[in-house]
Amino acid sequence: MSQWHILGAGAIGSLFACRLQDAGIQVTLLSRHDASPLRQLTLSTEPAQTYEVSQQLVTCGPGETTTVSHLLVCTKAWAVPDALAGITHRLNRNSTVVLLCNGMGLAELAVPLINGATLILGSTTAGCRLTPDNTLIPAGAGRTDLGGYQGDVAAPAWLAHWQVGVPDCYWQTNIHDTLLAKVALNAVINPLTAVHCVENGALMLEPLKHKTAQLVSEVQVLLRAGEAVQIAAELPDRVATVCRQTARNHSSMRVDIEMGRRTEIEAIVGWLLKGWIANPPETPLLSELYQTISGLEADLTA
């Protein structure tokens, strides 16, 4: 059975460390700051489960040269290049790298940093909060989709092991459409909840439901301009369903803004506005939200 290293020891990375351990897979978390050889995680299920996960520091130099055969990347979108650069020397053509991060355009940033490793792209709807005492509080099991960066490739042998521990884990022959659909969904929910400081469910209620409808329409226009007609048609129902199912949740972008942290606005909305198609149609509300959140980020670093 393959050994997995996880780059990004936050909530989702830690949750997947527990899930992969449940499948009998040997897991090592890669941390930038914590040099402890073991990390104890508590999953707040009924009953609660405790895990001891191996841990290493990510070294930016040649200090650690052991090859990483399988790498799961769960960092924030903006952190992907720097995080991978710290482990490039441990990857080769026999390695596999799975990018399980929000946003688009990340694969193109990753390819030059993985030394010819096989690149797999992923999307998960699993939600989780990590408390300061290393307790994981999941928000539903979620669904995880994986697929090859190069397009229609066969599912790898290790997928069967993942499916033992990761709920609703599937292989997609066109993972790019899955990722595009998620970016479209996030482009509606994340910036609106972040700017207005509301829970997800508030987007379906007064006074925001009209702005939500306008934003859905603008994202649909962008999708149709890039010939993603089916994804555009499904977007209104997807937004309504997710807002209903996660009505009390705070979006990750809202949490980042409230905590004074950098958001993933560039990999989500920025990519839709500038990286999806040439000469995009006008999207006044989406563009306004993008500028607002980008301005808030600039204030954080000023």
Side-chain angles (χ1 to χ4, degrees), residues 9 54 87 98 104 109 146 186 190 206 218 226 236 257 294-295 301:
S54 297
I87 199 171
V98 176
M104 296 287 274
L109 297 175
L146 303 170
N186 286 344
N190 285 16
E206 294 287 2
E218 290 185 5
I257 289 293
S294 297
T301 57

Side-chain angles (χ1 to χ4, degrees), residues 250-267:
H250 295 190
S251 73
S252 59
M253 194 170 290
R254 176 190 170 180
V255 172
D256 286 338
I257 289 293
E258 291 177 342
M259 297 294 290
R261 300 187 301 232
R262 185 175 177 181
T263 75
E264 296 177 310
I265 190 71
E266 198 62 47

Side-chain angles (χ1 to χ4, degrees), residues 10-12 14-15 42-44 126-139 250 255:
I12 294 298
S14 297
L15 176 63
T42 300
L43 190 59
S44 64
C128 190
R129 182 163 61 90
L130 179 63
T131 68
D133 66 349
N134 284 324
T135 297
L136 291 161
I137 304 173
H250 295 190
V255 172

Side-chain angles (χ1 to χ4, degrees), residues 13 22 47 51-52 72 74 87 174 197 217 238 244 272 288 302:
D22 282 340
Y51 299 79
E52 284 196 343
L72 173 60
C74 295
I87 199 171
N174 187 353
C197 300
S217 179
R238 291 197 68 199
R244 183 177 65 252
L272 267 178
E288 178 188 335

Side-chain angles (χ1 to χ4, degrees), residues 17-55:
C18 297
R19 288 178 167 179
L20 295 182
Q21 274 203 0
D22 282 340
I25 297 171
Q26 185 178 349
V27 178
T28 300
L29 285 168
L30 297 171
S31 172
R32 282 184 172 270
H33 308 293
D34 189 350
S36 306
L38 287 175
R39 185 174 178 192
Q40 183 168 297
L41 296 166
T42 300
L43 190 59
S44 64
T45 52
E46 290 292 339
Q49 298 171 269
T50 300
Y51 299 79
E52 284 196 343
V53 184
S54 297
Q55 185 168 259

Side-chain angles (χ1 to χ4, degrees), residues 3-232:
Q3 177 182 0
W4 283 82
H5 288 72
I6 299 180
L7 190 59
I12 294 298
S14 297
L15 176 63
F16 271 77
C18 297
R19 288 178 167 179
L20 295 182
Q21 274 203 0
D22 282 340
I25 297 171
Q26 185 178 349
V27 178
T28 300
L29 285 168
L30 297 171
S31 172
R32 282 184 172 270
H33 308 293
D34 189 350
S36 306
L38 287 175
R39 185 174 178 192
Q40 183 168 297
L41 296 166
T42 300
L43 190 59
S44 64
T45 52
E46 290 292 339
Q49 298 171 269
T50 300
Y51 299 79
E52 284 196 343
V53 184
S54 297
Q55 185 168 259
Q56 296 176 353
L57 278 175
V58 179
T59 56
C60 295
E64 174 62 69
T65 58
T66 306
T67 297
V68 170
S69 62
H70 295 80
L71 179 68
L72 173 60
V73 183
C74 295
T75 66
K76 290 287 189 178
W78 52 265
V80 167
D82 285 346
L84 280 174
I87 199 171
T88 296
H89 62 286
R90 299 181 64 185
L91 300 170
N92 59 40
R93 291 186 176 275
N94 296 318
S95 303
T96 294
V97 176
V98 176
L99 278 185
L100 195 65
C101 306
N102 287 328
M104 296 287 274
L106 306 178
E108 292 71 21
L109 297 175
V111 167
L113 299 170
I114 60 176
N115 282 337
T118 298
L119 182 60
I120 305 297
L121 306 182
S123 171
T124 187
T125 61
C128 190
R129 182 163 61 90
L130 179 63
T131 68
D133 66 349
N134 284 324
T135 297
L136 291 161
I137 304 173
R143 172 186 169 122
T144 299
D145 294 285
L146 303 170
Y149 171 60
Q150 296 296 344
D152 188 4
V153 297
W158 52 259
L159 182 69
H161 301 303
W162 271 53
Q163 290 172 327
V164 173
V166 179
D168 293 324
C169 182
Y170 302 96
W171 186 258
Q172 301 293 338
T173 55
N174 187 353
I175 190 65
H176 296 276
D177 279 359
T178 302
L179 296 176
L180 178 58
K182 184 177 182 183
V183 160
L185 175 73
N186 286 344
V188 175
I189 294 176
N190 285 16
L192 267 181
T193 55
V195 167
H196 293 281
C197 300
V198 296
E199 297 172 341
N200 294 353
L203 299 188
M204 295 290 104
L205 306 172
E206 294 287 2
L208 291 177
K209 68 177 184 179
H210 299 294
K211 281 194 173 184
T212 304
Q214 180 184 344
L215 199 53
V216 167
S217 179
E218 290 185 5
V219 174
Q220 284 181 302
V221 168
L222 282 170
L223 292 170
R224 292 189 187 110
E227 300 184 354
V229 177
Q230 185 65 32
I231 296 172

